[in-house]
Amino acid sequence: MTRSISPNDLMIRRLQSIHPLSNEEVRALGELPLEVASLESGHDIVRMGDRPKQCCVVIEGFTCIYKLTSEGGRQIMAIHVPGDIPDIQSLHLGLMDFGLAAISACTVGYIPHEKIQQMCEAHPRLGVALWRETLIDAAIYRDWMLNIGQREAFGRVAHLVCELMVRLKAVGLTEGDSFKFPVTQANLADAFGISSVHMSRVYGALAASGLLKVTRTRIQVLDWDELLEAGDFDPTYLHLEKSTPA
């Protein structure tokens, strides 16, 4: 990140982008105790079958929700960005039916369930905000299902880049028309249901079409309007008050 941001700030920004918060509610979120940890790419934060007693806030980097077949095949179901609480469901679902892993070097903050529950009892509207967050997660899953099932690989990737740009802009982590994205093509292939070789070709096609410039650590959008069209992207499902980059 380009400037100092406290571990709680991005979570506050995320919730403010989807639900109005009072000054008192912002203070309550800022006072949540976070145990901050640095993780390497590939680290499992939560495994299928775990019974966690804490939730994870993404502070820096990217994580993914995934599921495995009995033979070990992995399908990435969602990518989570800084500010997200990707396993907030664990507050009410004791047994985890998915895995949560870092797909880049990450900084995360762990919050004990009991502290979140105490906060929600003292500030019921924050419970509503977290409920809204889970509903938006479900909306994202639905759009990902449509993306994988009904679009060609070129459109799938264009759609995800649009989504990431919008979500990262909402928490102040874009730089002009670009954002950090040190996620490997192999990880992205698991999100799109294609091979790593195919993923590389799609990146190349998007670059050749003048839509993107992609490096190992950053994506730059060269033509936002054309990228929107290529990805058939409508940000309604993200339920953000300001959801289109300027």
Side-chain angles (χ1 to χ4, degrees), residues 136-226:
I136 293 172
D137 278 349
I140 292 173
Y141 290 152
R142 290 191 291 272
D143 226 73
W144 271 51
M145 183 175 291
L146 174 66
N147 197 37
I148 293 172
Q150 296 299 323
R151 297 187 180 105
E152 299 296 329
F154 187 91
R156 294 177 203 173
V157 178
H159 188 277
L160 177 63
V161 174
C162 290
E163 178 184 301
L164 291 172
M165 178 67 108
V166 170
R167 292 169 65 192
L168 289 166
K169 185 179 179 66
V171 291
L173 292 181
T174 55
E175 297 177 23
D177 56 6
S178 72
F179 56 90
K180 285 184 178 180
F181 195 59
V183 175
T184 67
Q185 293 180 14
N187 279 321
L188 289 175
D190 282 350
F192 297 122
I194 59 179
S195 69
S196 296
V197 171
H198 194 177
M199 182 65 221
S200 179
R201 288 174 180 162
V202 174
Y203 259 166
L206 285 162
S209 298
L211 302 184
L212 298 180
K213 179 180 179 182
V214 180
T215 69
R216 293 181 66 183
T217 61
R218 182 170 292 275
I219 292 178
Q220 180 181 5
V221 176
L222 302 177
D223 190 326
W224 176 249
D225 290 336
E226 289 295 324

Side-chain angles (χ1 to χ4, degrees), residues 40-84:
E40 295 181 356
S41 180
H43 179 91
D44 270 320
I45 300 167
V46 176
R47 295 184 176 91
M48 294 172 63
D50 282 355
R51 296 181 180 272
K53 300 298 182 184
Q54 58 193 9
C55 289
C56 160
V57 180
V58 184
I59 299 169
E60 189 168 9
F62 296 86
T63 67
C64 74
I65 296 290
Y66 71 90
K67 297 200 74 165
L68 300 172
T69 68
S70 59
E71 296 180 349
R74 182 178 70 159
Q75 178 65 50
I76 289 178
M77 318 293 290
I79 291 175
H80 285 276
V81 307
D84 288 354

Side-chain angles (χ1 to χ4, degrees), residues 64-111:
C64 74
I65 296 290
Y66 71 90
K67 297 200 74 165
L68 300 172
T69 68
S70 59
E71 296 180 349
R74 182 178 70 159
Q75 178 65 50
I76 289 178
M77 318 293 290
I79 291 175
H80 285 276
V81 307
D84 288 354
I85 312 174
D87 59 346
I88 190 67
Q89 304 97 316
S90 66
L91 270 175
H92 302 292
L93 298 177
L95 182 68
M96 302 311 295
D97 63 282
F98 60 81
L100 171 64
I103 52 171
S104 72
C106 280
T107 303
V108 301
Y110 297 106
I111 312 173

Side-chain angles (χ1 to χ4, degrees), residues 9 25 72 114 123 135 156 200 208 223:
D9 279 349
E25 289 161 346
E114 63 178 319
H123 305 278
L135 293 173
R156 294 177 203 173
S200 179
D223 190 326

